[in-house]
Amino acid sequence: DVVIADEFKADANSKTVPVTAIPDGWSGLDIGEDSLKEFKKELSDCKTVVWNGPMGVFEFEKFSKGTFGVAHTLAEITEKGGITIVGGGDSVAAIGAAKLENKISHISTGGGASLELLEGLELPGVAVLDNA
C-alpha cells in the first residue's frame, strides 16, 4: 500500500490505497502501514543492509512514517550485531531527523557513488588518486 496526496504539500489531503489504485492527479508520498510491516519483516533476519533513499517525503510529518519506520528497523539490526550502511544525502538527513546517527554502522552522503562502488564501477575520484 501507499500513502497518496492530492498535492505535494505538508497539509495535503491524503489517504492510503493499494499501489495499483493511485488515482489521476494524486502522488505517492510514503509507503503505507502494510508496506512498512512487510519491509520490517523482510529486514528482520538480515545481517547486512544497504539503504539508499527514503521511503517517502519524510520532511513532511504526515508522510514520514515509512522512512522513520525503516530507519528504526535498521537501528535495531545494528543493535543485534548486524551491519547497516546508509547512503545518500536524503537518507542521511532522515537518519539525522530520527536521531539515529549513532545507531547505524556506516553513513555516507555519497548515495550514487556508494551504489556505483557496490556495482564495481570505476569511481572517477578514486581513479584520479590511483593515478597520482
Side-chain angles (χ1 to χ4, degrees):
D1 60 341
V2 60
V3 180
I4 61 173
D6 61 350
E7 297 181 78
F8 190 83
K9 292 176 25 181
D11 61 349
N13 295 311
S14 65
K15 58 186 174 182
T16 302
V17 299
V19 295
T20 57
I22 301 173
D24 287 344
W26 289 67
S27 300
L29 298 188
D30 197 8
I31 59 172
E33 285 187 32
D34 291 342
S35 293
L36 179 57
K37 286 178 191 171
E38 187 66 25
F39 274 103
K40 287 181 171 187
K41 183 180 111 189
E42 293 297 324
L43 291 168
S44 66
D45 293 331
C46 291
K47 305 287 185 235
T48 302
V49 178
V50 177
W51 183 32
N52 187 312
M55 310 311 283
V57 185
F58 70 92
E59 298 89 345
F60 297 158
E61 184 178 350
K62 185 187 270 190
F63 307 109
S64 66
K65 290 181 182 139
T67 297
F68 291 153
V70 169
H72 283 278
T73 300
L74 266 59
E76 291 167 11
I77 292 168
T78 307
E79 191 174 295
K80 293 188 299 187
I83 297 170
T84 52
I85 302 165
V86 175
D90 288 336
S91 302
V92 172
I95 292 294
K99 300 188 182 341
L100 295 172
E101 302 95 335
N102 295 324
K103 298 188 181 273
I104 302 297
S105 304
H106 180 76
I107 298 174
S108 169
T109 57
S114 296
L115 293 176
E116 289 180 5
L117 176 68
L118 291 171
E119 283 184 66
L121 300 176
E122 181 178 78
L123 302 179
V126 175
V128 169
L129 294 174
D130 286 342
N131 297 325

